[in-house]
Amino acid sequence: MKTIQYISYLFLFILVSACGKIVDKVDNLGNYPAAGTFDDPATSGAFLSNLYGSTLSSGWPTGMAGNADEGGGIIGDGWVTTDNGTMKFWPYATIRKINILLKELPAGKVVAEVKNPMIGQAKFLRAFLYFKMVYYHGGVPIIEVPQELTDDLKVPRNSTSQCFDFILKDLDEAAALVPKKYTGNDRGRIDQAIVLAFKGRVLLYKASPQFNPANPYDNAHWATAYTANKAAKDFLDANGYGLLEDFSKVFETKGHKENILSVIYVNPAKTNGRAEDGVRPLSESKNSTGLDQPTWGMAEAFPMKDGKKPGDPSSAYAYNPQTFWLNRDPRFDATMVWNGSVYELSGIKGRRQYTMSAIAKSMDAFGFIIQGENHYRTGLYTRKGIMEELPSTQVTLNDVDWPEIRYAEVLFNYAETANETGKPAEALQVLKDIRKRAGIEAGGDGMYGLKAGMTRVELRQAILDEKRVEFMFEGQRFWDLRRHRMLNVLNGMRKYGVMATKVNGLAYDQVTPTEIGKANRFELLPQDFTYEIVELITNGPKQMVMPDKYYFFPIQLSNINQNPNLKQNKDWGGDFDPTLH
């Protein structure tokens, strides 16, 4: 028991520090480890920790919102090519390290009660990497052993179906080897809760229109995906997971019941997974800004307090773009920052964020006359994942955990599969639960603003719309649209922001010291301004370009040149079919 506890503390230390004498003993982890590495629990643990760092190192997908309809940024023509590295994923160096552990650790002298969970964690990490390759590219070469220079390295691609089978086999074997739930100093390690939740995600993709264009919603994979996601939900419910009662606390506290797989950040050893220095307005940041700024379309996606869409005549709340922040879904206040709203960055009590030219500080403004203005300004900011108390000089010390999988995602996965397998009541209940937690009013009919008697197609869209709001800036939206073969939503899209053009009737070039003084004292309120909805300002492309060939990205040409047995995807000059044909 002491040995297991020692490894637990060691794991967390190495995971967040990536340094120390134990790591040194493993030598260069890119090479084959020294003899005896897997006879010792400490060096085995160090090797495994390095794999975690290589596999789950990305943190918050900051900037990904610009690829979809959430954030500023325009994806123009030629974004992805066979030559560039955009949207390419080929982690075979890390897979080789995982295969080394899976070959050597079973034969090592580490006791079974310690090494078996390590083997299970490594199998999960391998499945995690293969799954990402598959939803990027389709089928890829399956390599289960550490290749040597004497081996035939020119391995052909396996079919997409074979890759899914391989991924699911690894996940099932991982689930049999890891405990039900890690807590305390073990939090962040792969356990059964993580494996089952992730398996549900994998099977959701396998059933999706992306992989089944000829039969997008009636293929047999949906039933398998439903069974897996319901099993994951039931397991999580039985083991203390669930929706956190307060949505605003999901990203402000650690180790709570909603986070299933967390990438843990700890100041000062491992920080800034949120890239807060790029997300904050420049006046309270350092050297950078412009990431994850919500578009006007994203602002309008949030419902009103009664769950109705803005402007819906049946809503109890009137909607006016001049007071767009009033009476909205509480998640709007929890995640959005608009002109004149309270945003207490650097711990400044009562601080309000301004975005009007001549009123806002530094480059915080969104206006036609600002030097250096570009399409990343939208007139909106976000508070999701931001540690507002940090001063600008310490903005890179943000150590908010990245929730790679949280309970709400499992609910949405379960809802999608329920809807596609003839169980609309189960899917609708998920939406009600999500909206209830958000603080939306139930209404006299208990529908939380949702339409009664929705068709399968309507409920499918309602799930996607709700997830767009719930997971804003968590890197889900682009992949959800792609998974449903709905890139047409983005293709040709123009993006807009909300510009404060007047304050108390005065344009930017009429502003007096009185207004500036009020702004400096944070006395100007959102309703003191006049707003216009304007297209994002850019010298580059103005429309999004998302062709159908982006449903599967190409293998990078440099990899094909190294291995002529790799076939390119059929929409990229080759004849490999990445679907489950």
Side-chain angles (χ1 to χ4, degrees):
M1 186 64 183
K2 289 183 179 179
T3 301
I4 297 174
Q5 187 178 36
Y6 170 67
I7 291 298
S8 300
Y9 281 95
L10 175 67
F11 170 85
L12 181 61
F13 173 76
I14 295 174
L15 186 60
V16 300
S17 65
C19 64
K21 293 182 179 178
I22 297 296
V23 175
D24 294 339
K25 289 182 181 178
V26 186
D27 298 320
N28 183 349
L29 296 180
N31 298 324
Y32 215 91
T37 295
F38 297 103
D39 291 332
D40 176 31
T43 51
S44 298
F47 195 94
L48 178 62
S49 296
N50 177 269
L51 299 178
Y52 269 86
S54 300
T55 305
L56 302 172
S57 60
S58 57
W60 286 74
T62 306
M64 187 73 186
N67 298 350
D69 49 7
E70 298 172 294
I74 304 293
I75 300 299
D77 193 25
W79 179 49
V80 177
T81 70
T82 57
D83 291 318
N84 68 20
T86 303
M87 290 301 177
K88 311 296 191 305
F89 191 66
W90 208 250
Y92 281 100
T94 301
I95 288 172
R96 180 175 186 271
K97 297 176 190 178
I98 294 172
N99 287 337
I100 289 172
L101 182 146
L102 292 175
K103 177 184 177 182
E104 300 293 343
L105 184 56
K109 297 178 181 178
V110 179
V111 295
E113 61 182 319
V114 174
K115 71 180 176 183
N116 285 343
M118 289 184 177
I119 292 168
Q121 292 168 61
K123 284 182 176 290
F124 174 89
L125 295 177
R126 186 168 67 179
F128 188 93
L129 292 175
Y130 265 95
F131 174 59
K132 187 172 180 179
M133 281 197 288
V134 167
Y135 72 75
Y136 268 60
H137 307 295
V140 293
I142 296 174
I143 301 175
E144 299 184 66
V145 297
Q147 291 177 300
E148 302 296 340
L149 292 177
T150 54
D151 295 337
D152 182 4
L153 303 180
K154 296 179 181 179
V155 182
R157 296 174 72 172
N158 287 84
S159 70
T160 300
S161 178
Q162 289 171 331
C163 287
F164 271 117
D165 289 346
F166 176 65
I167 292 163
L168 294 167
K169 178 175 179 289
D170 262 358
L171 292 177
D172 288 341
E173 291 176 359
L177 293 171
V178 296
K180 288 184 177 181
K181 182 179 182 180
Y182 279 121
T183 59
N185 290 308
D186 289 321
R187 187 173 67 87
R189 298 178 73 179
I190 305 304
D191 53 24
Q192 287 182 28
I194 293 169
V195 175
L196 294 179
F198 185 73
K199 182 180 178 180
R201 181 193 287 182
V202 170
L203 286 167
L204 178 72
Y205 269 78
K206 184 179 181 182
S208 72
Q210 179 189 1
F211 289 95
N212 302 275
N215 188 12
Y217 293 112
D218 292 308
N219 63 74
H221 302 307
W222 281 105
T224 306
Y226 169 79
T227 299
N229 279 287
K230 187 177 187 304
K233 177 185 177 298
D234 291 345
F235 181 92
L236 294 169
D237 292 343
N239 284 278
Y241 292 94
L243 292 174
L244 202 62
E245 288 73 14
D246 184 349
F247 174 81
S248 66
K249 300 298 183 186
V250 173
F251 312 100
E252 296 179 1
T253 56
K254 291 175 176 281
H256 54 70
K257 65 180 181 179
E258 185 157 345
N259 281 0
I260 299 169
L261 172 54
S262 297
V263 179
I264 300 172
Y265 288 84
V266 179
N267 180 22
K270 184 177 181 180
T271 59
N272 209 27
R274 182 64 177 103
E276 183 169 332
D277 51 330
V279 177
R280 281 191 182 202
L282 191 58
S283 64
E284 292 298 333
S285 187
K286 53 189 295 187
N287 306 324
S288 180
T289 191
L291 298 177
D292 284 0
Q293 291 192 8
T295 61
W296 176 249
M298 188 67 239
E300 287 210 306
F302 286 80
M304 306 301 288
K305 280 177 65 176
D306 61 359
K308 301 292 186 180
K309 292 182 178 180
D312 187 327
S314 68
S315 176
Y317 299 99
Y319 176 69
N320 184 342
Q322 293 300 318
T323 53
F324 60 88
W325 58 89
L326 293 180
N327 299 316
R328 303 299 293 275
D329 172 349
R331 289 173 295 187
F332 189 94
D333 291 358
T335 55
M336 303 283 280
V337 178
W338 57 96
N339 179 67
S341 62
V342 175
Y343 194 26
E344 295 179 334
L345 294 175
S346 298
I348 302 171
K349 296 299 182 183
R351 178 189 178 277
R352 291 182 180 273
Q353 180 63 52
Y354 298 112
T355 63
M356 179 181 166
S357 301
I359 293 294
K361 291 184 177 180
S362 185
M363 283 287 290
D364 296 0
F366 176 44
F368 291 117
I369 50 80
I370 300 171
Q371 184 179 5
E373 181 60 81
N374 59 54
H375 62 288
Y376 291 109
R377 296 289 188 278
T378 69
L380 298 165
Y381 292 93
T382 186
R383 64 179 83 248
K384 182 177 271 190
I386 301 299
M387 295 179 66
E388 297 180 24
E389 68 275 15
L390 290 176
S392 59
T393 54
Q394 298 178 14
V395 68
T396 57
L397 297 183
N398 175 306
D399 64 355
V400 174
D401 288 351
W402 160 239
E404 172 62 37
I405 305 176
R406 60 184 177 98
Y407 183 82
E409 183 200 334
V410 176
L411 288 184
F412 276 103
N413 295 347
Y414 165 57
E416 281 198 45
T417 58
N419 182 52
E420 303 304 345
T421 53
K423 304 172 185 67
E426 295 178 35
L428 183 61
Q429 187 59 51
V430 167
L431 295 184
K432 290 181 179 179
D433 291 344
I434 291 288
R435 288 191 162 202
K436 180 180 180 180
R437 189 276 291 274
I440 289 174
E441 296 167 354
D445 59 0
M447 291 293 290
Y448 295 88
L450 296 162
K451 177 184 174 182
M454 283 186 279
T455 67
R456 181 186 183 189
V457 173
E458 289 174 326
L459 187 50
R460 181 186 303 144
Q461 188 62 50
I463 292 168
L464 282 172
D465 290 345
E466 193 69 29
K467 191 176 180 185
R468 180 185 180 191
V469 169
E470 174 76 19
F471 281 86
M472 184 183 80
F473 296 156
E474 294 179 58
Q476 298 264 2
R477 178 64 173 173
F478 173 78
W479 303 110
D480 283 343
L481 291 174
R482 183 173 176 262
R483 174 169 57 83
H484 279 276
R485 287 189 172 259
M486 293 174 63
L487 290 181
N488 59 291
V489 171
L490 304 177
N491 194 41
M493 172 181 284
R494 291 175 176 263
K495 294 185 178 181
Y496 296 83
V498 55
M499 187 182 293
T501 55
K502 293 182 180 180
V503 56
N504 295 324
L506 302 174
Y508 76 92
D509 55 355
Q510 299 171 323
V511 169
T512 69
T514 299
E515 283 72 35
I516 295 174
K518 287 182 178 180
N520 290 338
R521 295 189 298 274
F522 309 125
E523 294 174 358
L524 293 174
L525 304 179
Q527 57 266 35
D528 294 330
F529 295 82
T530 302
Y531 301 94
E532 292 183 19
I533 310 308
V534 301
E535 190 168 6
L536 302 191
I537 303 164
T538 173
N539 293 324
K542 293 183 177 295
Q543 294 187 120
M544 297 281 281
V545 179
M546 285 284 166
D548 286 351
K549 66 180 181 178
Y550 283 2
Y551 289 123
F552 287 98
F553 297 121
I555 304 295
Q556 193 162 5
L557 189 58
S558 59
N559 290 318
I560 291 178
N561 289 338
Q562 293 171 1
N563 178 3
N565 288 332
L566 288 177
K567 293 183 177 181
Q568 184 60 276
N569 283 336
K570 63 180 184 178
D571 290 332
W572 296 93
D575 59 4
F576 186 89
D577 186 349
T579 67
L580 293 171
H581 51 281

